[in-house]
Amino acid sequence: MHEAWKLLLDAEFVHAYIHGIVIKCADGVYRRVYPWIFTYSADYPEK
Amino acid sequence: MDLPLSSVGTADTLPVPERPQRMHRLPRRFIDHLPEAAPAVAAAVSDELIPIIPRVRLIVHDVFKTITNAFHVLRFFPNRPSYDPEAFISPQDLANFPDSIQSSSTIIPEEIGSMLPPPYPYSSMSTYHLMQWVDSGSNLKSESEVNRLVNDVIRAPDFHAEDFQSESQFDVGREHRKLDAAINSSPLLKDGWHEATVDIRIPTGDDTNGVHVFSVPGFRYRPLVEVIKAAFTDAQARLFHFSPFRRIFVSPLTGRETRIYDELYTSDAWLNAQRDLQRAANEPGCKLEKVIAALIFWSDATHLASFGTAKAWPLYTFFGNLSKYVRAKPDSGACHQTAFFPSVRFITLGLGSRSSIISLSFQTRYRTSSAHSTSVQINRSPC
């Protein structure tokens, strides 16, 4: 499970987490978006 | 008897004797208060450049407060928002009350039974053919899908019916195969699914051998950054909140302010995160507004069918930028499937006195047709 998360939180995501990513939003304005994890509710595969 | 002058009524002020007038008022419990959106934020004024003084960091808080709505609720922004998604909320989005104005204006034709030549009752032959198609054949054509066909496809400026003339017979299957082939060869569709192998390091208990690396194939995922980009450029992102705020109830009697906790973007967690982010140094040469993409992850085992054991372990991503009232609707499209975790099964085959054998087997459950099944044996050296 943690190994799977290692693949999800890849180098690209970590870079975006620290430096943000520039996205043209739906209103046409460019913003620097920082991903921020607020909640993670999950049931882990145990066996 | 002497009475104070004020309590004595004179002839002018006495009420004219007549049947008492009664105010007819609906009891309070029958008054239906329809929900109302918070007052919209006025268009943000352009920030004026503040001359930069060396070694002094000035943090300007453009504090912004909206007026209260009918429920005495206001919004308090620590920083003036650049975009207000609640400006697009109409009363129809908040309540499903019958729209009396619209229904009464619908004109019902009086002579329904009269038989008139084909375009009747439609305006043109195109509409006639389309409506004939809608009302015949399979009954799985929904009104919204037909509306979509007309508004998005037929009315598209580059839609030409002549394009179908060259082909002998239109075949959906053939066109789908073309699309599949294009997707598989295109590097542009980045938010597509990737497949990877997860390596698990399992201690063998043997000092000389170290760890055994056990590979679980079939971990399917979409890169998170691409999921965020796709979500923020989607049409739904018009409803995304970028500026956190406090929602405050102002008591009409005492004037006391009470904080309302309702959304992720009105929470202290986001307000603090936004404050920290604004205080942090900008990226070099970047003057863009810094906003937060609030990731909410959710994961649990899911049965895929009512019968049978087809099971998957998906990871969903939601965005807290979207109101929970939109997010929680099953048809909102707010949920982004991000990964499928492969499930691993451990089976203990036998425990001998001199050596124990542990077998591991795994199955990628979401593939019902081509499920992998492999097993690895680890021989533990005698203790």
Side-chain angles (χ1 to χ4, degrees), chain A residues 7-47:
Chain A
L7 288 169
L8 279 173
L9 305 176
D10 53 0
E12 197 188 1
F13 180 81
V14 173
H15 186 269
Y17 192 82
I18 298 164
H19 303 287
I21 35 173
V22 177
I23 299 176
K24 188 184 182 183
C25 296
D27 59 339
V29 178
Y30 284 92
R31 288 187 177 86
R32 189 167 282 274
V33 178
Y34 290 79
W36 212 285
I37 299 167
F38 280 94
T39 67
Y40 176 33
S41 49
D43 202 358
Y44 278 93
E46 282 153 13
K47 18 175 210 174

Side-chain angles (χ1 to χ4, degrees), chain B residues 170-374:
Chain B
F170 183 72
D171 181 16
V172 180
R174 188 180 57 217
E175 303 301 320
H176 268 153
R177 282 192 292 278
K178 277 187 202 169
L179 176 69
D180 285 344
I183 287 172
N184 291 335
S185 59
S186 168
L188 293 169
L189 293 163
K190 281 182 172 173
D191 68 330
W193 289 89
H194 292 231
E195 189 160 354
T197 302
V198 182
D199 291 332
I200 309 172
R201 293 151 65 87
I202 298 166
T204 53
D206 187 354
D207 293 338
T208 52
N209 244 347
V211 289
H212 185 90
V213 178
F214 184 74
S215 298
V216 182
F219 172 57
R220 298 188 136 208
Y221 69 101
R222 293 165 68 198
L224 268 175
V225 173
E226 301 307 326
V227 173
I228 296 166
K229 279 184 188 168
F232 270 71
T233 47
D234 191 69
Q236 197 172 49
R238 283 176 65 81
L239 297 171
F240 272 23
H241 284 257
F242 299 122
S243 313
F245 57 87
R246 291 189 189 92
R247 211 188 283 281
I248 293 163
F249 169 74
V250 185
S251 169
L253 300 172
T254 59
R256 221 185 69 177
E257 295 190 345
T258 313
R259 176 90 180 269
I260 301 173
Y261 297 90
D262 56 345
E263 298 274 2
L264 190 59
Y265 48 78
T266 62
S267 69
D268 282 338
W270 193 325
L271 283 158
N272 293 340
Q274 183 79 11
R275 188 197 57 211
D276 295 345
L277 184 63
Q278 300 308 325
R279 286 188 182 174
N282 276 8
E283 287 298 307
C286 179
K287 281 184 179 171
L288 294 172
E289 186 189 356
K290 293 184 282 186
V291 295
I292 285 174
L295 302 175
I296 301 173
F297 292 116
W298 186 88
S299 176
D300 197 2
T302 309
H303 281 281
L304 296 178
S306 306
F307 304 101
T309 55
K311 229 172 95 177
W313 208 297
L315 172 73
Y316 297 116
T317 308
F318 293 89
F319 286 88
N321 303 62
L322 198 61
S323 166
K324 64 183 175 188
Y325 297 108
V326 180
R327 210 169 51 203
K329 282 182 189 169
D331 59 346
S332 66
C335 170
H336 299 266
Q337 229 164 32
T338 309
F340 279 109
F341 295 116
S343 39
V344 181
R345 287 195 303 170
F346 287 81
I347 302 163
T348 310
L349 287 180
L351 291 164
S353 57
R354 291 182 62 79
S355 70
S356 59
I357 301 159
I358 299 164
S359 174
L360 289 158
S361 77
F362 57 82
Q363 278 184 309
T364 46
R365 294 287 192 81
Y366 60 89
R367 283 184 178 177
T368 47
S369 56
S370 61
H372 300 275
S373 186
T374 337

Side-chain angles (χ1 to χ4, degrees), chain B residues 76-208:
Chain B
F76 175 86
F77 290 86
N79 291 290
R80 182 183 282 267
S82 64
Y83 179 72
D84 180 25
E86 297 199 2
F88 302 108
I89 295 175
S90 64
Q92 279 82 358
D93 293 334
L94 298 170
N96 54 351
F97 62 94
D99 197 344
S100 55
I101 306 154
Q102 212 178 356
S103 55
S104 64
S105 66
T106 318
I107 302 149
I108 303 153
E110 282 175 18
E111 25 178 4
I112 298 164
S114 63
M115 289 297 284
L116 288 165
Y120 183 81
Y122 310 111
S123 56
S124 68
M125 277 313 286
S126 304
T127 321
Y128 178 81
H129 283 304
L130 183 79
M131 291 309 291
Q132 286 291 312
W133 169 76
V134 171
D135 298 332
S136 61
S138 161
N139 60 356
L140 293 170
K141 297 182 280 269
S142 71
E143 285 187 16
S144 61
E145 283 299 291
V146 176
N147 286 343
R148 220 164 62 82
L149 173 73
V150 175
N151 294 325
D152 298 356
V153 180
I154 299 177
R155 292 179 67 182
D158 46 0
F159 178 87
H160 303 295
E162 304 86 60
D163 293 347
F164 299 101
Q165 298 282 351
S166 58
E167 300 184 35
S168 52
Q169 185 79 37
F170 183 72
D171 181 16
V172 180
R174 188 180 57 217
E175 303 301 320
H176 268 153
R177 282 192 292 278
K178 277 187 202 169
L179 176 69
D180 285 344
I183 287 172
N184 291 335
S185 59
S186 168
L188 293 169
L189 293 163
K190 281 182 172 173
D191 68 330
W193 289 89
H194 292 231
E195 189 160 354
T197 302
V198 182
D199 291 332
I200 309 172
R201 293 151 65 87
I202 298 166
T204 53
D206 187 354
D207 293 338
T208 52

